[in-house]
């Protein structure tokens, strides 16, 4: 399926008619790939936690608010809900090994694909009118993971839960690479300009 144009927001029966391509992309590639990466890496993480007392390895699963409310399309939302559940259920089994998991919720991300859509003039239709200028870089999520990994007490407390990147940044005092603190999708700073008073 084309993930870089407005068809990403089509009705599910149009996206997957006869092929299941969008479903396979979100689940067969995205979710399955995440699960298999965890299966391969967890034994190494368990060994690390055993050999280095006080170290709590961290698995960060990139998810989104699409796991809790409709976003983009049906397959996407179901995949993100499953990613959240993956982080939650893995934490149950991994807690006795001192390995933690989180479902990380970035906000609107300035990915290479999103930036290209904006350059081609397709972003507004494909995103439903979101202002990409309010977005965050992928590095912002990396900073969140680095700070979580450096704080074993915080990781243990949040293991199996959803962590919203911009809300963690506000709590811990870190910013995106340009020095900004992008707003949480749950905040009025995001909701008002994108939904209530769009330009």
């Amino acid at each position: 399926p084309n993930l870089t144009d407005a068809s990403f927001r089509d009705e599910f029966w149009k996206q997957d008619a006869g092929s299941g391509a969008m479903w396979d992309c979100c689940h067969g590639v995205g979710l399955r790939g995440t699960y298999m990466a965890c299966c391969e890496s967890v034994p190494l993480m368990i060994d690390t936690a055993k050999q280095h007392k006080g170290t709590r390895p961290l698995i960060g699963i990139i998810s989104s608010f699409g796991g809790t409310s409709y976003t983009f399309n049906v397959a996407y939302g179901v995949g993100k809900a499953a990613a959240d559940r993956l982080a939650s259920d893995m934490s149950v089994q991994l807690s006795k090994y001192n390995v933690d998991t989180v479902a990380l919720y970035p906000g609107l991300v300035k990915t290479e694909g999103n930036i290209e859509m904006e350059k081609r003039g397709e972003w507004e239709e494909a995103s439903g009118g979101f202002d990409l200028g309010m977005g965050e870089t992928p590095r912002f999520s990396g900073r969140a993971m680095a700070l979580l990994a450096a704080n074993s007490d915080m990781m243990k407390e949040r293991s199996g839960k959803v962590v919203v990147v911009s809300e963690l940044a506000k709590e811990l005092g870190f910013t995106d690479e340009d020095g900004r603190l992008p707003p949480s999708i749950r905040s009025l700073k995001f909701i008002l300009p994108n939904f209530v008073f769009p330009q």
Side-chain angles (χ1 to χ4, degrees):
N2 191 342
L3 305 179
T4 61
D5 68 19
S7 66
F8 188 60
R9 298 178 73 89
D10 276 349
E11 288 91 359
F12 68 91
W13 62 92
K14 294 177 183 174
Q15 288 178 328
D16 278 340
S19 71
M22 184 62 72
W23 183 269
D24 290 345
C25 181
C26 292
H27 301 268
V29 176
L31 186 60
R32 184 179 193 282
T34 300
Y35 177 75
M36 294 309 300
C38 291
C39 290
E40 293 297 318
S41 62
V42 161
L44 299 172
M45 293 179 159
I46 291 171
D47 286 347
T48 298
K50 282 180 187 173
Q51 292 174 16
H52 304 281
K53 298 296 181 205
T55 298
R56 296 186 68 89
L58 174 63
I59 297 171
I61 296 175
I62 303 298
S63 189
S64 86
F65 286 100
T68 59
S69 62
Y70 181 83
T71 306
F72 301 126
N73 64 56
V74 172
Y76 179 87
V78 172
K80 294 305 181 183
D84 295 350
R85 184 61 187 258
L86 183 62
S88 176
D89 287 2
M90 285 192 313
S91 75
V92 172
Q93 293 187 356
L94 292 173
S95 64
K96 66 184 174 188
Y97 299 106
N98 296 318
V99 176
D100 298 311
T101 64
V102 294
L104 200 65
Y105 278 23
L108 179 60
V109 182
K110 296 177 185 178
T111 64
E112 293 89 346
N114 290 344
I115 291 168
E116 284 302 313
M117 278 192 283
E118 187 173 53
K119 287 179 185 175
R120 293 191 309 259
E122 300 167 356
W123 171 253
E124 186 170 340
E125 182 183 3
S127 71
F130 288 126
D131 178 4
L132 190 57
M134 294 182 73
E136 57 198 56
T137 67
R139 186 168 295 202
F140 193 47
S141 293
R143 289 179 174 179
M145 287 297 295
L147 285 169
L148 281 171
N151 187 330
S152 60
D153 291 336
M154 182 182 293
M155 280 194 325
K156 184 176 181 180
E157 171 192 318
R158 296 182 190 200
S159 189
K161 296 181 173 73
V162 166
V163 174
V164 179
V165 176
S166 60
E167 294 170 11
L168 184 69
K170 188 173 182 180
E171 177 186 342
L172 299 181
F174 68 93
T175 62
D176 205 344
E177 63 186 7
D178 60 3
R180 290 182 318 113
L181 177 59
S184 168
I185 289 179
R186 295 192 281 201
S187 76
L188 289 177
K189 285 182 180 179
F190 185 86
I191 294 169
L192 290 176
N194 280 290
F195 296 103
V196 180
F197 305 111
Q199 302 294 332

